Amino acid sequence: MKPMSIKEITAAIDGRLISGNPETIVSGVCTDTRRVTPGALFIPLIGERFDAHDFIPDALAAGCAASLTSRREITSEKPLIYVEDTRIALGHLAACYRRSFTLPVIGITGSVGKTTAKEMTATVLSSKLSVLKTQGNLNNEIGLPLTLLQLEESHRAAVIEMGMSGYGEIDHLAAIAAPDLVIMTNIGLSHIEMLGSQENIYRAKAEFLPHLRPGGTVILNGDDPILSAHRSEMPVRTISVGTTPGCDILARDICSAPDSVSFTLAYGDEQVPVRLSFPGTHNVINALFACAAGLVLGIPLKEAAAALATFTPGDRRMEFIRKNNLTVINDCYNAAPASMAAALKVLAAQSGRKIAVLGDIRELGEHAPAAHKDLGTLAAALSLDALFTLGENGRLIAEGALLAGMAKTAVFSFTDIDALNDALSTYTQEGDIILVKASRAMRLERVTEFLTNAKA
């Protein structure tokens, strides 16, 4: 963060300085007293089970230069800025700070694939530019402002993930980020329990449009029927990418291998070969997003393809772990029906006995039974060797597999993770390849940890 005075910060957040010197300089922000940096502004957030106002004295004693507060009774010789809501003030500060930069901000939104698209886009842009990106999936009303407040004068672009679960959230995040370019990955079933339909999900995702900066661009998934249907309504420049004829940037001749996927990127008269050193044809669209973003920012397609050749997925996202004579595809960070189906197809393309360990997908509402049973049907159609499930919705995956003809001796359903791990320990053998995937709330990384540690 470039230095700001307390006076500037107070004006940016419409606060009131109740103590300290307004000329004090702040060189960062901090919301956690365990990660204090000298000269930072402490922003005490309030959650369901905590109120960080209790730690303001600790933060100031540890080296923070100042603090926000929504409690008038707190006192200090160091600067204290009073605001009604510290969370809202964080957003206001980030919005003001972002507007002090002229660099392009790329926003990523969509039902699934946001983090992978963000990472691949950042990889392409980093081949030419100094890039700030969202760490992990810190894509909410706290994570996005904290990311933007890390901008430095040396940065030349920022790639920011924007997540949501209901109306108003993308509107809030985009108002802070003021993006120049937005990538829309797809409109799936994630959060349909709250929003009711995919059309409503689109409307919630599209809330960024009024906040797109003049001359901005939207890159959208041309294979997604809802995004394609709404493209003509978007009052900005749009670029479609996909495998469907008519897309502005098209992937042809897709070739999938157990450890990679390659294709030809076609754009106008250009034909550029692209090879990803990890499997999954669903990643082709993410590569196209990244190449399109690079093109908008002046990076030639050949250079974008060269950058993508070096990319590897992040933690718990299609991560291949080879240990104890097993191969575990660790993809348990989160799940949606589309991403779980894609992961099952990656598993099916591998050699050796193929075992899927799947758990509940959350926030599907009334669509949950059909979506989970369909995944079981797919598991059976892919001729997997075994299916282990965890949870009540996981049981529906097992039920769908059995109804589709998967052998009873190959389907195992559990409500207790220890029992599931014990059964896996007995069932697995040398050379097996095991996919582990579920919604984040299922904490299925416990299965990955068991498989990679128990038999050492």
Side-chain angles (χ1 to χ4, degrees), residues 3-263:
M4 293 182 72
S5 71
I6 290 298
K7 183 179 180 179
E8 291 173 316
I9 291 170
T10 303
I13 62 178
D14 195 23
R16 185 167 68 86
L17 185 63
I18 58 177
S19 70
N21 184 352
E23 302 304 323
T24 298
I25 298 298
V26 165
S27 57
V29 295
C30 172
T31 60
D32 187 340
T33 54
R34 295 167 296 183
R35 296 178 175 85
V36 168
T37 55
L41 171 70
F42 184 60
I43 301 180
L45 300 174
I46 301 173
E48 292 182 3
R49 300 180 182 179
F50 68 90
D51 183 346
H53 283 79
D54 296 336
F55 304 105
I56 289 177
D58 295 336
L60 296 175
C64 283
S67 178
L68 303 189
T69 179
S70 58
R71 289 188 192 171
R72 295 180 184 274
E73 70 274 14
I74 295 176
T75 62
S76 172
E77 293 182 359
K78 288 185 176 182
L80 291 174
I81 305 172
Y82 175 80
V83 292
E84 290 188 4
D85 188 314
T86 54
R87 190 178 301 241
I88 292 173
L90 170 63
H92 288 164
L93 178 60
C96 178
Y97 186 73
R98 181 267 179 270
R99 284 158 180 78
S100 69
F101 291 83
T102 58
L103 54 72
V105 170
I106 296 90
I108 314 279
T109 191
S111 294
V112 296
K114 292 185 294 296
T115 300
T116 302
K118 177 256 298 181
E119 293 292 338
M120 294 176 92
T121 299
T123 296
V124 166
L125 300 185
S126 295
S127 67
K128 288 289 187 181
L129 308 170
S130 174
V131 177
L132 173 71
K133 66 177 181 179
T134 300
Q135 295 301 312
N137 71 333
L138 297 176
N139 58 16
N140 60 15
E141 62 178 334
I142 297 173
L144 182 143
L146 289 175
T147 298
L148 288 171
L149 286 166
Q150 294 175 37
L151 279 169
E152 301 284 356
E153 295 286 5
S154 60
H155 287 127
R156 293 294 175 265
V159 184
I160 307 297
E161 190 175 328
M162 301 187 297
M164 51 135 273
S165 58
Y167 286 121
E169 295 178 27
I170 293 294
D171 178 62
H172 175 70
L173 297 178
I176 297 170
D180 300 87
L181 186 158
V182 171
I183 293 171
M184 299 188 78
T185 63
N186 47 54
I187 304 298
L189 295 178
S190 299
H191 312 304
I192 201 166
E193 181 177 21
M194 177 174 291
L195 290 166
S197 71
Q198 286 181 290
E199 278 294 327
N200 289 343
I201 292 171
Y202 166 76
R203 293 188 185 98
K205 297 289 186 186
E207 288 175 349
F208 70 84
L209 282 168
H211 305 291
L212 199 65
R213 300 184 89 180
T217 301
V218 175
I219 299 171
L220 55 84
N221 183 343
D223 294 341
D224 186 290
I226 294 178
L227 290 177
S228 294
H230 286 284
R231 180 182 184 182
S232 62
E233 303 169 4
M234 296 182 184
V236 295
R237 176 196 182 196
T238 59
I239 299 172
S240 64
V241 305
T243 60
T244 307
C247 287
D248 299 316
I249 298 179
L250 188 66
R252 295 175 176 157
D253 305 323
I254 298 172
C255 181
S256 179
D259 62 350
S260 65
V261 60
S262 59
F263 62 95

Side-chain angles (χ1 to χ4, degrees), residues 123 275-278 304-313:
T123 296
R275 184 182 186 279
L276 306 177
S277 59
F278 52 96
L308 287 174
T310 69
F311 176 80
T312 55

